């Protein structure tokens, strides 16, 4: 998958060779998957030992046993989500129709990955809203001000400290929880 900022990470692999060759491509910033993600929707490599396109990646990949490779972009209308790597350690050629089949599989994987990302963003938004709401309540109660003024207080603190609003709010909530825990823990309880 491609993260914000362009960092590429493998989330699943079928064997150690996949992890090794994926990591090699990402570390070098070159290879069929990197090109599929950045430039071409499908990148096919046959006779890997003779392919000069990636002078740092290919010799090391061939030494690891690579004979052919297919890189396919996972993308939707809005963004590139990642790539799909298919490695061959047995054949130096790619079967006819394999690229089309891989592209079809990639379209299904894109739908699933896009949905998962969308749900993750929604969950993050809910958590953020909850934390900011809690911080507003704490500040409003502590300083006897309205919710609106408490929100503007948080925004001002975020802007002047150059810290995300969510992080400022989380710090307010964590501090209040720590203080509450200390004050309730110091009171004696009856057996």
């Amino acid at each position: 998958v491609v993260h914000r900022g362009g960092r590429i990470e493998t989330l699943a692999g079928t064997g150690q060779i996949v992890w090794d060759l994926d990591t090699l491509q990402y570390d070098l910033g070159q290879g069929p998957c990197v090109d599929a993600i950045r430039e071409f929707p499908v990148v096919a490599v046959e006779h890997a030992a003779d392919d000069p396109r990636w002078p740092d990646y290919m010799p090391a990949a061939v030494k690891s046993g690579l004979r052919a490779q297919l890189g396919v972009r996972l993308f939707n209308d809005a963004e590139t989500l990642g790539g799909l790597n298919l490695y061959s350690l047995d054949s130096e050629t790619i079967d006819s129709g394999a690229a089309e089949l891989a592209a079809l599989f990639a379209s299904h994987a894109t739908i699933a990955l896009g949905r998962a990302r969308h749900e993750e963003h929604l969950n993050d938004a809910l958590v953020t809203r909850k934390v900011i709401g809690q911080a507003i309540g704490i500040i409003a109660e502590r300083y006897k001000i309205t919710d609106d003024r408490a929100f503007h207080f948080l925004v001002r603190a975020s802007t002047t400290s150059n810290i995300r609003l969510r992080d400022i709010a989380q710090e307010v909530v964590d501090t209040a929880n720590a203080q509450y825990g200390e004050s309730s823990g110091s009171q004696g309880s009856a057996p």
Side-chain angles (χ1 to χ4, degrees):
V1 295
V2 178
H3 296 284
R4 289 183 185 160
R7 183 176 65 86
I8 305 171
E9 175 188 24
T10 297
L11 297 181
T14 57
Q16 190 58 47
I17 190 77
V18 172
W19 295 99
D20 294 343
L21 293 179
D22 282 3
T23 300
L24 181 62
Q25 288 182 87
Y26 310 151
D27 288 349
L28 294 172
Q30 64 174 246
C33 184
V34 173
D35 279 5
I37 288 171
R38 294 183 180 157
E39 295 181 51
F40 309 105
V42 177
V43 178
V45 175
E46 295 187 306
H47 306 285
D50 300 328
D51 196 315
R53 289 181 281 182
W54 306 280
D56 296 325
Y57 168 72
M58 201 52 72
V62 168
K63 187 175 180 183
S64 295
L66 179 71
R67 297 181 69 193
Q69 181 175 343
L70 194 58
V72 183
R73 183 185 306 160
L74 303 178
F75 66 100
N76 58 29
D77 292 338
E79 64 184 329
T80 294
L81 303 175
L84 173 66
N85 271 314
L86 303 166
Y87 298 105
S88 174
L89 305 179
D90 299 323
S91 174
E92 292 203 7
T93 60
I94 298 169
D95 289 342
S96 64
E100 291 81 14
L101 186 59
L104 179 62
F105 180 79
S107 66
H108 290 277
T110 298
I111 292 167
L113 183 57
R115 171 112 180 151
R117 278 193 175 177
H118 180 70
E119 288 179 12
E120 180 182 3
H121 292 310
L122 289 176
N123 286 333
D124 285 348
L126 287 173
V127 169
T128 297
R129 183 173 182 226
K130 178 183 174 188
V131 168
I132 291 172
Q134 288 172 327
I136 288 170
I138 291 166
I139 291 170
E141 174 60 28
R142 182 175 294 158
Y143 297 108
K144 307 297 184 214
I145 58 177
T146 66
D147 288 350
D148 191 47
R149 288 189 64 205
F151 176 72
H152 289 295
F153 176 84
L154 283 173
V155 169
R156 217 173 21 259
S158 172
T159 303
T160 58
S161 64
N162 200 25
I163 299 173
R164 292 184 324 165
L165 181 62
R166 177 186 176 162
D167 295 339
I168 292 281
Q170 187 65 58
E171 186 176 329
V172 168
V173 171
D174 290 347
T175 300
N177 285 339
Q179 289 171 346
Y180 177 76
E182 290 172 11
S183 66
S184 66
S186 64
Q187 297 173 350
S189 61

